[in-house]
Amino acid sequence: MHMVLVPLARLRVKIGAKKCSRSLIFVHPATAMFEFSIRKLHSSHSSCSFSAAFGAGEQPIAISKPHSHRLHTREHRSQAEIAMAGPLLWQNFKVFVTRYPIVRGMISYSLIWPTGSLIQQTVEGRRWGTYDWWRVLRFSMYGGLFVAPTLYGWVKISSAMWPQTSLRTGVIKAAVETISYTPGAMTCFYFIMSLLESKTVEQAVAEVGKKFLPTYKVALSVWPLVATINFTLIPERNRVPFISACSLCWTCFLAYMKHLEHHEVDGAI
């Protein structure tokens, strides 16, 4: 088997805007397969190679691009993927929130409850440099991770028990909520928030005993009306966000009550 030496006199290949130098190739006579290297003129570091098959009158069928061009293409593709990632993530997030209403409630409460704490601290006279940010974080955690899931569960249970949306049904739901969910929510608020402040169980129980009744009296004058509107006029998928919006003022009141000393409670209400 012999190898045929063929001068590359008739082939001219361009890489970018520069012509390549002539070279010699070794051609296998049986398969007409050849392989050779090309080096750019005036550059000793840039080279490329290609292999091709020729039949009778055929052109080369495969050419490998220079390494630098592949890097440029890969970098351009990466930038395009990064540019598309933001809108795609936002779209997926909207679909996820729409599919799971509890997530909307958790997001709402994790923002509204710390906002209520900040408003209450501002009324106290605090400013940016003197805000108690740990208190703000506790309100965010409690609102997003405890209040929203429990309220969502109550809304689902009450909607299953009373699926109608009439005024009479709304009043019934509001009354049941006032004597069932609201007392439990008040108790959990003072107890859990006290534990998050690193107080002992005995101190948390004492705070519940001191502040529960005054807070519940105020709740009786506010939440029946809000609950009636919520159960009567608001679609089920938006009830948790609606309650979270209405609870901003209520959260400010709870933040005020929470940080009163025990001897100040009687004079506050």
Side-chain angles (χ1 to χ4, degrees):
M1 184 176 294
H2 302 283
M3 300 298 294
V4 181
L5 184 63
V6 181
L8 189 63
R10 297 182 180 179
L11 293 178
R12 292 183 180 273
V13 184
K14 288 187 178 181
I15 306 298
K18 298 181 180 179
K19 293 184 179 180
C20 296
S21 62
R22 296 181 179 182
S23 179
L24 295 178
I25 59 174
F26 289 95
V27 181
H28 195 288
T31 61
M33 294 292 296
F34 64 86
E35 187 172 314
F36 62 93
S37 64
I38 301 173
R39 188 177 302 279
K40 286 184 181 180
L41 295 175
H42 311 301
S43 174
S44 60
H45 301 289
S46 300
S47 63
C48 68
S49 63
F50 68 81
S51 61
F54 286 91
E58 293 182 350
Q59 298 296 323
I61 59 174
I63 298 178
S64 62
K65 296 181 179 180
H67 182 63
S68 59
H69 181 71
R70 290 199 300 268
L71 289 178
H72 178 73
T73 303
R74 187 179 304 168
E75 181 180 354
H76 180 72
R77 185 185 302 125
S78 300
Q79 292 175 352
E81 291 174 352
I82 293 174
M84 294 176 60
L88 182 61
L89 288 175
W90 175 248
Q91 184 66 28
N92 291 337
F93 175 75
K94 290 195 298 184
V95 172
F96 180 76
V97 170
T98 302
R99 182 176 300 177
Y100 302 101
I102 188 175
V103 177
R104 286 184 291 173
M106 294 177 70
I107 294 173
S108 298
Y109 272 83
S110 64
L111 296 176
I112 289 176
W113 276 63
T115 301
S117 176
L118 287 172
I119 294 173
Q120 183 268 328
Q121 291 187 53
T122 302
V123 173
E124 283 183 357
R126 294 176 180 262
R127 293 299 179 264
W128 184 262
T130 58
Y131 283 129
D132 186 347
W133 295 106
W134 287 111
R135 187 195 304 184
V136 174
L137 178 61
R138 289 193 296 269
F139 270 77
S140 180
M141 293 174 57
Y142 181 79
L145 300 179
F146 183 82
V147 177
T150 56
L151 182 58
Y152 178 81
W154 160 248
V155 169
K156 295 294 289 185
I157 292 173
S158 62
S159 297
M161 295 177 63
W162 299 282
Q164 298 82 9
T165 57
S166 63
L167 178 60
R168 178 176 178 275
T169 302
V171 171
I172 293 175
K173 288 182 181 180
V176 173
E177 179 180 311
T178 302
I179 63 176
S180 60
Y181 177 80
T182 302
M186 301 296 170
T187 302
C188 291
F189 170 73
Y190 288 118
F191 187 82
I192 295 176
M193 290 294 285
S194 296
L195 295 180
L196 291 177
E197 292 174 349
S198 300
K199 293 182 179 179
T200 64
V201 174
E202 290 76 12
Q203 290 174 322
V205 171
E207 183 154 359
V208 172
K210 184 65 177 179
K211 298 180 180 179
F212 170 78
L213 189 57
T215 306
Y216 187 58
K217 290 179 180 178
V218 177
L220 290 176
S221 63
V222 173
W223 285 109
L225 177 60
V226 173
T228 300
I229 296 173
N230 187 44
F231 287 125
T232 305
L233 303 177
I234 306 300
E236 181 179 350
R237 65 179 181 275
N238 294 323
R239 285 174 183 170
V240 171
F242 171 77
I243 289 294
S244 67
C246 294
S247 68
L248 178 60
C249 294
W250 178 250
T251 304
C252 295
F253 172 73
L254 289 179
Y256 167 73
M257 290 293 296
K258 178 67 184 69
H259 294 282
L260 285 177
E261 297 296 335
H262 288 188
H263 66 274
E264 297 174 335
V265 174
D266 295 332
I269 301 179

